Amino acid sequence: MHMTLPLQQPVLIFGLAVLIFLFFPVLMGKLRIPAIIGPIVAGIIVGPHGLGILARDSTIELLGTVGLLFIMFIAGLELDFDGFKKYRNRSIFFGLLSFGIPFILGIMVGLLLGLNVLSAILFGTILSSHTLLGFPAVSRLGVTKNKAVTTVLGGTLITDTLAMLVLAVVTGASEGNLTFGFWVYLIIAMTLFAAGILIITPYLTKWFFKRSNNEGTLEFNFVMAILFVAGAISLFVGLEPIIGAFLAGLALNRYIYDHGPLMNRITFTANALFIPFFLLSVGMMMDLRALVSSPDALLVTSLILITGIVGKILASWITSKVYGYSKVENRVMFGLSISQAAATLAATLVGFRLGLIDQQIVNAVIIIILVSCIMGPYFSEKYARKLALSEDKAVLDETLPERILIPLANPNTMESLMDLGFVLKRAINTNEPIYPLTIVQKDLKQASNEVAQAERMLGRSIMYASGAEVSVKLLTRVDHNIGWGIERAATEERITAIVVGWDGVNEGSQKVFGKVIDNFLEHTYQRAFITNIKQPLNTMERVILILPNNVAFKPGFEDSISIIKGIASQLSTTIKGLVIRDNLEIYEKVSQQVHPNIKVEFQSVDGWESLYEHDLKDVKSTDLVILLSARRGTVAWHPELETSPSKLATLNRGNLIVFYPTEMKETDIRGSRGSEIPKELLFKSDYEA
């Protein structure tokens, strides 16, 4: 077969691209350069202005565009909404500065270069936008919830939207279409577009996820449909698809939680294939010969490059000074906001097509894209790494690693229990594997067949956890008593949290959950999460936390509030705290002291009857009810806690977690697990409560 250059055969093109994605990041690592720069460098070498091996044809452009949309989409997905709400003024401030300063400087430089007013405004637009090219590195290093990163992510939407609006206005003015109808159409179309994405999409997503039965492929394709439909609609509105992609990410943010299987599928697909294609396509646009074509070209390019960099430096520096960000946070902000690619290229091509800028400026902009696309990932990764190392980490007790045990008995509830395990793993900030457990209730000598069946079910949990990139350690125990088997496994593996499923039905007046769960609760001190969850966790919109009288005095109370706030943070829900006949100040003080920084709206409740009849009347199927309970004979135990789980399980179609805090091997201040009613509850008013 005769081979011509540039390559024409799809298999050869794709094969070469995959080899580049494999070897160039390794080479960059050897040179201590961020791996994300590798495909850009490769694009320069093999592109039409280098060796000419690959042409920047429609295939490369298509795959590159998909990669760019993934970058913006994932940025929207990983935006910390709680942080954004808290720092939204900072995002607006930074967004206006990140657009305004380069825009004004660009207009001044454009006029200095002899451009007319309209061309100078377009030139300012070219320098004002930015692309979150360094975001994958920041995400990988786990600092996306840092206040500086949240500021940039929120500000990016404002910056790029303003840049695209100005581009639309400049285009309309150059074509003589800047009429009243033009402004009306632009405003109405943008408003309807944003409202449609941010309002309709969440309702559609919630409806779909409730009916998807955790089908991974189906859910992934649904998310991709939302992403690309939003990008396509933005084109009709007159904006770039990156705006639609970012809005789609924001709309799906609370339904795709961190480190879940769906999020892992999205990021894996993006990082392994499409984002590298975007970086490769950026590199293929570069013509380094433009730098040395003439002294004037070099001077113009240098002036434009300095202007673009200075504008972004000033925006980051002023924001950091105003809000007291550290030098490291300032440089992360600069790294995230310096890269110029999609919107910059779009504005450049539109200006060239309309005759507003000449080839010399186009070449200079291409060089800016090259330099900024190298600087952005470099600064982002370098200083995000320092930021990750400098952030305060929770001090863990090395003698007692945080480990989560999940007894599995019903294959139909395996995925919901594992999902909660993934969320808890993040909430307690542990790198330990999750421990799925099966108990074979049979004589040891006759249990071989049942053990084999149990291992097959555990195999499903491995596959499910691998989709979320969560390690697991499988456990199988043979015991005549299932509760004892759970207790033994928890002791042998030094477990700190146990997650079990419950059908919402007790087994008689003497049982709270049933003999198995009651048995291991009686004989364990670890945190226990008794769950009756029928709806997918990512469809929850609110956490309703029920706090019995005196529960604030339990040894594990602060730890419990921290975990519950961590769950709410990952699910992007609000928290409403219902306190049974107690002093709200105690609960508010503890909540303010523990991380994450999520506000809990505490409300006093007159008693248990009032709780059922009035305070829980508005519970919806999208509410996750968490009862912070207490084991028998401990502070905060109340007879009502024996019957409340079955009552609560019927309220909202079974979205209930009964959370027993850790007893730290000392059952309580009273040191007893007796069944007597605590003395403080013998008073009539408290007992009726």
Side-chain angles (χ1 to χ4, degrees):
M1 181 184 68
H2 180 68
M3 185 172 66
T4 59
L5 295 181
L7 297 177
Q8 302 295 324
Q9 292 80 6
V11 174
L12 294 179
I13 295 173
F14 199 86
L16 177 60
V18 171
L19 288 175
I20 288 172
F21 304 156
L22 175 63
F23 289 111
F24 268 81
V26 176
L27 177 61
M28 295 297 105
K30 297 291 184 182
L31 299 175
R32 298 192 175 183
I33 299 174
I36 197 172
I37 296 175
I40 299 176
V41 175
I44 298 172
I45 295 172
V46 304
H49 303 296
L51 300 178
I53 299 175
L54 289 180
R56 194 173 185 274
D57 57 13
S58 58
T59 301
I60 297 293
E61 289 184 14
L62 169 64
L63 296 174
T65 301
V66 172
L68 175 60
L69 295 183
F70 264 111
I71 290 176
M72 299 302 294
F73 180 62
I74 293 172
L77 284 180
E78 296 197 357
L79 178 67
D80 179 11
F81 259 123
D82 295 309
F84 177 70
K85 291 175 184 176
K86 182 178 180 180
Y87 302 120
R88 61 180 177 273
N89 292 334
R90 303 185 185 192
S91 292
I92 295 171
F93 183 78
F94 174 75
L96 293 175
L97 286 181
S98 186
F99 169 79
I101 295 176
F103 181 65
I104 294 171
L105 291 176
I107 292 175
M108 294 170 61
V109 170
L111 294 174
L112 182 65
L113 293 174
L115 300 178
N116 59 42
V117 174
L118 194 61
S119 298
I121 293 174
L122 175 66
F123 188 67
T125 305
I126 290 172
L127 297 183
S128 64
S129 65
H130 61 253
T131 299
L132 295 170
L133 199 60
F135 182 77
V138 173
S139 175
R140 187 176 67 253
L141 292 167
V143 293
T144 56
K145 295 185 183 297
N146 177 271
K147 57 184 180 295
V149 176
T150 300
T151 299
V152 176
L153 295 185
T156 296
L157 178 61
I158 296 168
T159 299
D160 286 355
T161 300
L162 289 174
M164 293 300 98
L165 283 175
V166 174
L167 177 60
V169 172
V170 169
T171 302
S174 66
E175 296 176 344
N177 296 328
L178 210 60
T179 62
F180 177 75
F182 170 83
W183 289 106
V184 171
Y185 169 79
L186 186 63
I187 293 171
I188 293 177
M190 277 214 48
T191 303
L192 291 177
F193 171 60
I197 295 295
L198 297 177
I199 296 175
I200 297 175
T201 300
Y203 283 103
L204 181 63
T205 303
K206 183 168 60 178
W207 175 86
F208 180 84
F209 280 173
K210 284 182 178 180
R211 291 159 177 80
S212 65
N213 296 320
N214 283 320
E215 287 288 339
T217 303
L218 200 61
E219 291 183 349
F220 180 82
N221 287 335
F222 173 80
V223 170
M224 291 300 98
I226 295 293
L227 165 59
F228 291 104
V229 167
I233 294 175
S234 64
L235 285 172
F236 290 100
V237 176
L239 298 175
E240 285 297 301
I242 56 174
I243 303 297
F246 191 78
L247 287 175
L250 293 178
L252 294 174
N253 180 288
R254 63 176 308 278
Y255 298 102
I256 304 175
Y257 45 84
D258 294 344
H259 298 283
L262 182 55
M263 186 65 174
N264 183 58
R265 293 183 186 107
I266 294 168
T267 55
F268 177 82
T269 303
N271 293 328
L273 190 61
F274 291 112
I275 292 178
F277 262 112
F278 168 68
L279 300 174
L280 182 68
S281 69
V282 169
M284 293 172 69
M285 291 190 300
M286 309 306 171
D287 185 1
L288 298 182
R289 290 171 294 186
L291 279 175
V292 295
S293 59
S294 69
D296 289 343
L298 183 60
L299 179 62
V300 170
T301 300
S302 301
L303 180 61
I304 295 174
L305 180 61
I306 292 171
T307 302
I309 293 174
V310 169
K312 296 300 182 181
I313 286 177
L314 286 175
S316 301
W317 181 78
I318 293 173
T319 305
S320 298
K321 286 298 182 183
V322 170
Y323 295 109
Y325 292 164
S326 67
K327 289 183 178 179
V328 173
E329 289 173 324
N330 173 31
R331 286 164 185 170
V332 170
M333 293 177 68
F334 170 71
L336 285 171
S337 61
I338 183 58
S339 297
Q340 298 186 333
T344 301
L345 187 61
T348 302
L349 295 178
V350 168
F352 185 70
R353 177 174 57 83
L354 297 174
L356 296 176
I357 57 176
D358 58 20
Q359 184 64 50
Q360 187 180 49
I361 292 181
V362 172
N363 290 339
V365 171
I366 296 298
I367 299 302
I368 291 173
I369 293 175
L370 167 63
V371 175
S372 66
C373 285
I374 292 176
M375 290 179 65
Y378 175 79
F379 275 86
S380 297
E381 182 163 334
K382 179 179 179 180
Y383 291 101
R385 191 177 301 277
K386 291 184 178 182
L387 187 61
L389 294 174
S390 65
E391 286 188 336
D392 293 333
K393 301 295 181 182
V395 178
L396 299 178
D397 181 0
E398 294 182 358
T399 63
L400 195 63
E402 292 284 8
R403 293 175 178 170
I404 301 170
L405 179 72
I406 305 181
L408 300 175
N410 184 353
N412 296 326
T413 61
M414 182 273 292
E415 291 176 349
S416 64
L417 291 175
M418 294 293 288
D419 282 341
L420 180 57
F422 302 153
V423 172
L424 282 177
K425 182 177 169 67
R426 292 277 293 174
I428 62 180
N429 191 26
T430 178
N431 293 321
E432 293 287 324
I434 287 178
Y435 289 70
L437 166 71
T438 56
I439 305 293
V440 176
Q441 193 177 17
K442 203 160 187 177
D443 185 85
L444 186 63
K445 296 181 179 180
Q446 302 175 352
S448 58
N449 291 334
E450 285 75 7
V451 169
Q453 293 176 3
E455 289 179 346
R456 281 195 291 272
M457 186 172 69
L458 288 178
R460 289 186 58 213
S461 69
I462 292 180
M463 295 177 62
Y464 193 69
S466 65
E469 287 191 342
V470 173
S471 58
V472 297
K473 181 179 178 181
L474 304 183
L475 302 176
T476 303
R477 295 290 184 271
V478 179
D479 204 305
H480 286 290
N481 186 297
I482 296 177
W484 291 350
I486 296 173
E487 178 189 354
R488 184 157 57 91
T491 302
E492 292 173 354
E493 301 296 338
R494 298 194 297 166
I495 297 298
T496 57
I498 305 172
V499 179
V500 298
W502 174 54
D503 60 6
V505 180
N506 60 17
E507 297 178 1
S509 59
Q510 302 301 315
K511 300 290 188 295
V512 182
F513 302 100
K515 62 181 181 181
V516 172
I517 298 178
D518 286 0
N519 182 274
F520 91 77
L521 280 176
E522 178 68 20
H523 296 92
T524 57
Y525 62 88
Q526 293 91 343
R527 306 182 195 97
F529 299 83
I530 316 302
T531 69
N532 180 241
I533 299 176
K534 303 299 184 185
Q535 307 284 350
L537 280 175
N538 55 1
T539 63
M540 298 296 106
E541 297 179 349
R542 180 176 61 165
V543 169
I544 298 179
L545 175 60
I546 301 173
L547 299 158
N549 182 269
N550 286 336
V551 76
F553 299 104
K554 292 192 66 61
F557 178 68
E558 289 188 13
D559 170 72
S560 303
I561 294 297
S562 177
I563 290 174
I564 292 167
K565 291 173 73 174
I567 293 172
S569 175
Q570 292 180 72
L571 301 180
S572 299
T573 63
T574 58
I575 308 179
K576 179 181 180 180
L578 302 177
V579 182
I580 310 291
R581 297 181 65 87
D582 220 335
N583 185 357
L584 295 185
E585 292 182 4
I586 301 174
Y587 296 87
E588 290 171 348
K589 182 178 179 181
V590 171
S591 178
Q592 292 170 2
Q593 291 174 344
V594 301
H595 294 286
N597 188 17
I598 296 176
K599 183 174 178 57
V600 181
E601 297 289 343
F602 289 104
Q603 176 183 324
S604 181
V605 177
D606 292 335
W608 289 99
E609 291 302 321
S610 175
L611 176 74
Y612 300 133
E613 294 178 4
H614 303 290
D615 299 283
L616 294 178
K617 286 188 68 176
D618 63 340
V619 173
K620 303 175 183 177
S621 61
T622 54
D623 289 333
L624 177 60
V625 178
I626 300 180
L627 169 64
L628 192 58
S629 193
R631 290 171 167 90
R632 272 179 174 250
T634 63
V635 168
W637 180 80
H638 187 283
E640 185 64 32
L641 294 176
E642 305 285 289
T643 58
S644 58
S646 58
K647 295 178 181 178
L648 294 172
T650 62
L651 285 176
N652 60 337
R653 303 177 190 173
N655 297 319
L656 171 68
I657 298 176
V658 183
F659 181 3
Y660 289 86
T662 180
E663 302 294 347
M664 300 303 291
K665 294 189 179 180
E666 297 176 6
T667 57
D668 212 289
I669 300 170
R670 301 171 66 246
S672 170
R673 288 250 181 91
S675 60
E676 71 274 11
I677 300 173
K679 293 179 180 179
E680 64 270 24
L681 298 180
L682 290 175
F683 296 101
K684 187 175 187 296
S685 59
D686 281 343
Y687 186 77
E688 289 178 347

